[in-house]
Amino acid sequence: MASITYDKATRRYAGSERPAVDALDLEIADGEFLVLVGPSGCGKSTSLRMLAGLEDIDDGAVWIGDRDVTQLPPRSRDIAMVFQNYALYPHMTVAQNMGFALKIAGRPASEIKQKVLEAAKLLDIEQYLDRKPKALSGGQRQRVAMGRAIVREPQVFLMDEPLSNLDAKLRVSTRTQIAALQRRLGVTTVYVTHDQVEAMTMGDRVAVLSDGLLQQCDTPRALYDRPANAFVAGFIGSPAMNLVTAKLTADGAELGGGSVRLTREVIQAADGDTVTLGFRPESLEVTTEGPDSVPIKVDLVEELGSDAYVYGKLAETDAEGTKSNIVARVDPRTPPAMGDTVHLRIRPDELHVFSATSGARLP
Ligand SMILES: Nc1ncnc2c1ncn2[C@@H]1O[C@H](COP(=O)(O)OP(=O)(O)OP(=O)(O)O)[C@@H](O)[C@H]1O
Ligand SMILES: [Mg+2]
């Protein structure tokens, strides 16, 4: 087992101006489950492939444990990778697929058999060892791909969207199994996904990337409660956090015909006369008209049983001259109707304020 360090690791593809991964600094502890998350094209797979040795590192370095592996070929890095398209060999049985890497490494048949059996037990696929992959379900094939990585007993597991071929329900159960298995094995794992729910439920810590730049790396709770900037604020959480550009006043900011109070510290830290206000759908409560309430015109009510979400627009334009869309979670037993105007209040201490220019969180 081993820790992992990205030290200003940079990857520039020929022909593109901006690096696909730009001076990535990240330390992953021994045994940790770290998730890399971000929108398509942000550099998740490239970061993972740099660690695997499948991609050159143009600047900076990557360490596994106390070894600088920047120049080492993939086979010398002691890692096992599970891809989205796990490509099992169709002509081999499950057992042969799982033991293949050990066979290539020239290990004795008895040892291979024992390791494959152990991994199969762990993954609950013992009864399929003699089958060919085509006779398995998607979820079972996924577990065989995991088994293939486990039998190698690597220092590090790398997984790139391993669940994206599975249907929604199977994804949920398989992600729980993978997270539990990783904790049992204690092998340092870097897991790539574009799905923020997957990231939040699986990771000890989650690293959010955008445009090749690391935005924030923290525990799921901390990312949710204290996003470092407006990008992370909008990316983590579903439905997404409301983000509205608001004009500063002497003691707060204007918000759609109402106002919110801000501390002097925040107002002083703002650059310019506007800020970006962020508040999650569950940070809003329905109230009566008043000085700190914000009127919203209801466009749509989404009733999910346990929750109801109101989608609407601010009644007045914001600092950018648009009527921002707002999502609010409301009591599912007494939802408002389409076309209603509701007055919402942001719960104290649940307001996030970001610089309108840089997006950085204000103190
Ligand atoms: N071989 C390549 N040559 C040139 N550019 C590449 C190459 N591979 C990736 N890129 C570019 O580098 C950027 C990052 O790609 P990467 O595959 O790491 O994104 P990703 O975050 O994994 O996205 P996705 O969620 O879609 O898989 C993208 O802009 C992509 O177009
Ligand atoms: Mg990718």
Side-chain angles (χ1 to χ4, degrees):
M1 277 181 269
S3 60
I4 294 164
T5 307
Y6 285 91
D7 178 11
K8 303 239 172 327
T10 299
R11 174 65 177 139
R12 279 183 213 90
Y13 287 114
S16 51
E17 292 165 27
R18 305 182 54 178
V21 174
D22 195 352
L24 177 62
D25 272 327
L26 199 55
E27 289 203 24
I28 304 164
D30 184 14
E32 186 172 5
F33 194 118
L34 182 105
V35 179
L36 285 176
V37 72
S40 183
C42 70
K44 304 179 294 293
S45 296
T46 304
S47 304
L48 201 68
R49 292 167 57 82
M50 287 160 82
L51 177 54
L54 302 171
E55 208 68 76
D56 286 341
I57 296 163
D58 298 311
D59 269 315
V62 171
W63 293 67
I64 299 178
D66 51 12
R67 286 196 308 163
D68 180 347
V69 299
T70 312
Q71 306 296 339
L72 288 186
R75 66 185 143 72
S76 312
R77 297 193 183 195
D78 200 6
I79 48 156
M81 199 152 168
V82 182
F83 295 96
Q84 166 180 359
N85 134 17
Y86 27 84
L88 300 175
Y89 298 108
H91 59 285
M92 293 185 194
T93 64
V94 166
Q96 286 165 338
N97 264 288
M98 285 172 66
F100 190 62
L102 298 181
K103 190 170 171 202
I104 293 294
R107 309 285 267 278
S110 59
E111 181 195 325
I112 298 176
K113 193 170 173 196
Q114 182 224 330
K115 291 214 162 122
V116 166
L117 191 61
E118 264 172 34
K121 277 186 186 152
L122 207 57
L123 292 158
D124 201 18
I125 48 174
E126 230 184 314
Q127 64 274 42
Y128 308 124
L129 283 174
D130 296 325
R131 287 204 202 166
K132 299 273 174 67
K134 69 171 187 300
L136 298 176
S137 74
Q140 290 160 348
R141 281 182 217 168
Q142 186 55 52
R143 277 182 277 159
V144 176
M146 288 287 300
R148 203 165 49 170
I150 291 171
V151 294
R152 294 175 50 194
E153 298 177 0
Q155 292 205 67
V156 177
F157 286 135
L158 303 183
M159 305 188 195
D160 194 347
E161 308 246 7
L163 306 184
S164 51
N165 287 338
L166 306 183
D167 67 46
K169 203 164 174 190
L170 201 52
R171 280 181 81 121
V172 173
S173 57
T174 312
R175 82 180 180 219
T176 326
Q177 285 168 3
I178 291 181
L181 184 67
Q182 191 275 342
R183 261 131 219 160
R184 203 140 35 115
L185 297 171
V187 177
T188 314
T189 300
V190 186
Y191 185 102
V192 164
T193 179
H194 63 270
D195 179 344
Q196 55 98 14
V197 177
E198 211 165 282
M200 297 289 276
T201 52
M202 294 179 85
D204 292 320
R205 284 188 308 153
V206 176
V208 183
L209 291 176
S210 170
D211 284 339
L213 291 166
L214 178 64
Q215 304 292 313
Q216 185 173 7
C217 178
D218 218 324
T219 60
R221 188 78 248 167
L223 281 183
Y224 195 82
D225 290 343
R226 285 188 63 78
N229 58 40
F231 177 83
V232 175
F235 189 76
I236 299 290
S238 174
M241 186 189 283
N242 298 293
L243 292 166
V244 180
T245 312
K247 206 162 157 40
L248 287 170
T249 60
D251 61 352
E254 292 171 7
L255 181 63
S259 68
V260 292
R261 289 187 75 88
L262 300 174
T263 62
R264 191 177 319 172
E265 205 187 356
V266 165
I267 294 173
Q268 277 169 357
D271 38 358
D273 57 358
T274 58
V275 288
T276 301
L277 299 178
F279 41 97
R280 297 199 181 277
E282 70 270 26
S283 297
L284 291 164
E285 56 193 9
V286 178
T287 176
T288 50
E289 193 170 356
D292 63 348
S293 76
V294 181
I296 307 287
K297 181 104 188 311
V298 176
D299 292 330
L300 180 79
V301 179
E302 191 178 68
E303 295 191 51
L304 301 173
S306 60
D307 286 312
Y309 288 98
V310 165
Y311 292 79
K313 282 194 184 58
L314 290 178
E316 308 255 332
T317 56
D318 66 13
E320 286 183 321
T322 53
K323 292 187 177 178
S324 296
N325 291 316
I326 299 291
V327 188
R329 191 175 73 187
V330 296
D331 186 341
R333 286 160 302 182
T334 54
M338 230 163 84
D340 283 359
T341 296
V342 291
H343 296 272
L344 299 174
R345 195 176 76 96
I346 304 169
R347 287 203 185 85
D349 306 326
E350 294 187 31
L351 178 67
H352 306 261
V353 191
F354 305 100
S355 158
T357 46
S358 72
R361 183 184 193 85
L362 298 180

